Amino acid sequence: MGGKQDQDENYGKPAKYDPSFRGPIKNRSCTDIICCVLFFVFILGYIAVGLVAWVYGDPQQVLYPRNSTGAYCGVGQNKDKPYLLYFNIFSCVLTTNIIAVAKNGLECPTPQVCVSSCPVVPWTVDPEQLSQTVEKVFYAANRNFCLPGVSGDMEVLESLQLELCPSFLLPSTPALGRCFPWSNSTVPELTGISNTSISQGISGLLDGLNGRDISVKIFEDFAQSWYWILVALGVALVLSLLFILLLRLVAGPLVFVLIVGVLGVLAYGIYHCWKEYRMLRDQGASISQLGITTNLSAYGKVQETWLAALIVLAVLEGILLLMLIFLRQRIRIAISLLEEASKAVGQMMSTMFYPLVTFVLLLICIAYWAMTALYPLPTWPGPPGAQTPNTSCPGLMCVFQGYLSKGLVQRSLFNLQIYGVLGLFWTINWVLALGQCVLAGAFASFYWAFHKPRDIPTFPLSAAFIRTLRYHTGSLAFGALILTLVQIARVILEYIDHKLRGAQNPMARCILCCFKCCLWCLEKFIKFLNRNAYIMIAVYGKNFCVSAKNAFMLLMRNIIRVVVLDKVTDLLLFFGKLLVVGGVGVLSFFFFTGRIQGLGKDFENPHLNYYWLPIMTSIMGAYVIASGFFSVFGMCVDTLFLCFLEDLERNDGSVDRPYYMSKSLLKILGKKNAAPQGDKKRKK
């Protein structure tokens, strides 16, 4: 008795019997009103940021390149000059990496000019041309690549010294509105730059950025195969539904097969490690002979590595066997809950399609952020060294500084971007929280219906949706905000790590890695806590903090059952995803590669440039569909589990306090109702 009392003191007291409790309570009030008001104010501010972006922002910075004077290519006076030419593109390649170039708008410390077409033949200024005029060397030869306003009477030598005209041209291909040299182009001799560096830079730029031909082929492949991709996604949807509905019949055997399969894999691993260890032991291959090396593959050739792997696998095998022996009752409860979840989904099929609502809301959040982020981009100054001389006044230089540099709004664009990122994370997390709470309310109404399916509400999903939006928007916003702050901290830490990676010493890197690991664990814990808190909110209608506390205490009072159910569910859902994604992937591979014969003319595989493209699209789409369906099933299992634990604490199976759980669960627990379901009414 003392142990039981200590447990109650540590993890709270079990729920008491309440004769008026009939599942999700009807009479509830708004929760976390302050956070609700804060969330609505934030959303109004988010809308204001969008309005500011559309009024003051300039999306052309992303859509069009700019020359050294800050003018856009392909727009306005440069409408007939859509491409940007770099006088010395190797300055981009040699001063920074390709990723940084792409992220910074492909800016380089060299003059840039808008041109109507990219150069198609290599050319370099000959020494005898230095004394000639720009008109003869450039304009007359149809080399219109000098900066605007350069006089044709100027000597070529002076134009090169002032960086008004390029000293060489390379055959180029337009990509992303910019002229990038061909990888096989003849490279001129440039002072201080090796041909190897230039060739590598050209190859890297083309590999990363020049996807015009590939884009056309990809578009053609999608045009030829889009309806077959939809068929593959339909197969994924059917397989996901069948897997969940068949769990009602095969949940027990399937879990047994999966557990035996894991045991078999571990057993084979033990055998393989023992075989390798014995062979290396006979050969005398020891780590003492190898020493310390950075070649990790060399450790696979010493006996100690296989011995350590053997010990680890043997320990895992032993733990799993002990769990099967001593926790078999809890595993049976988990299997019964999985079967009950399949029944709940079968009774409320509309819940399986609720992820479509979540998907649409997420799409709106992401699209709004993308449009907002596209507009209020900070206007950066022109590239370093991108100076335009005034030919009418020798020595006078015009330097482009930037647009929209005055005014409070323009100076605050970066802060608005930060606000937008926070809005993206918060709204996405709120939408996910809404989906979890709505599904929890629907499935809780199934569990707490004493006479199933008679007592299940007519529209449980719609009722849960309206109830959640009306009363618990603030609680969802509270939980989403906590998770958002942790995610923002992770993003900031990743950014710091990326910026300081080259300057960190081993100790600093170790500390930063520890911080990242801690934040990752914290995010996982908060997601777990929020998920269960939303279930309690859906049932009892209390605020977020109270619901999170009650859910945590309830789970801690049943920690062994929690671990067993969690792992069994994870194993089952992993197998389900593997079945759906693998099945769709195999069928797509055999179809799009033409290995399925005799289907007839109407079912012939399309002729594709890249057969792997529709295959990968089908696989990714199947994964998204399976994840959406199985997320509903996982939420159903978690909701029924918490309701099951509450049922055990609230009721005792008597006439006045009968259990709500199914007969299979009662049988496993060795309990029974004095008032059988369907025979007697509960005492009012």
Side-chain angles (χ1 to χ4, degrees), residues 50-61 372 374-377 379 404 409-410 413:
L51 295 176
V52 170
W54 296 330
V55 172
Y56 294 98
D58 189 5
Q60 295 183 102
Q61 298 181 63
T372 303
L374 180 65
Y375 275 78
L377 286 170
T379 52
L404 303 175
V409 174
Q410 289 75 20
L413 286 178

Side-chain angles (χ1 to χ4, degrees), residues 500-512:
L500 303 179
R501 185 164 295 173
Q504 291 175 356
N505 56 42
M507 181 60 69
R509 293 178 60 184
C510 179
I511 295 175
L512 196 59

Side-chain angles (χ1 to χ4, degrees), residues 459-512:
F459 301 105
L461 186 65
S462 301
F465 184 83
I466 296 173
R467 186 167 58 239
T468 302
L469 280 181
R470 180 179 179 182
Y471 296 107
H472 307 303
T473 297
S475 297
L476 302 184
F478 191 7
L481 179 60
I482 296 174
L483 182 58
T484 296
L485 295 178
V486 176
Q487 291 174 338
I488 293 292
R490 286 193 64 195
V491 171
I492 294 174
L493 207 58
E494 290 288 349
Y495 177 78
I496 294 174
D497 183 34
H498 176 73
K499 285 295 184 181
L500 303 179
R501 185 164 295 173
Q504 291 175 356
N505 56 42
M507 181 60 69
R509 293 178 60 184
C510 179
I511 295 175
L512 196 59

Side-chain angles (χ1 to χ4, degrees), residues 608-684:
L608 304 173
N609 298 297
Y610 308 106
Y611 70 87
W612 52 265
L613 184 65
I615 295 175
M616 295 303 300
T617 304
S618 300
I619 290 176
M620 290 187 292
Y623 178 80
V624 172
I625 291 174
S627 298
F629 278 95
F630 293 157
S631 66
V632 174
F633 184 77
M635 195 67 200
C636 181
V637 173
D638 291 344
T639 302
L640 297 184
F641 180 58
L642 283 185
C643 294
F644 165 73
L645 298 179
E646 287 269 340
D647 194 8
L648 285 177
E649 294 183 352
R650 285 180 175 275
N651 304 307
D652 58 7
S654 63
V655 176
D656 294 333
R657 299 168 57 184
Y659 292 112
Y660 283 80
M661 67 186 70
S662 63
K663 293 181 179 179
S664 59
L665 281 171
L666 287 171
K667 184 177 179 181
I668 292 173
L669 293 173
K671 299 177 182 294
K672 63 180 181 178
N673 276 331
Q677 294 189 11
D679 294 338
K680 298 181 180 181
K681 297 182 180 180
R682 285 178 52 89
K683 184 178 179 180
K684 299 296 182 179

Side-chain angles (χ1 to χ4, degrees), residues 263-302:
L263 288 172
V265 171
L266 291 177
Y268 175 77
I270 293 172
Y271 166 75
H272 182 74
C273 292
W274 166 251
K275 183 179 177 181
E276 294 289 336
Y277 167 72
R278 186 175 60 181
M279 181 182 65
L280 294 173
R281 183 192 60 185
D282 296 340
Q283 295 176 357
S286 176
I287 197 171
S288 60
Q289 300 174 354
L290 178 64
I292 304 300
T293 178
T294 56
N295 185 12
L296 299 180
S297 61
Y299 288 103
K301 301 177 181 179
V302 296

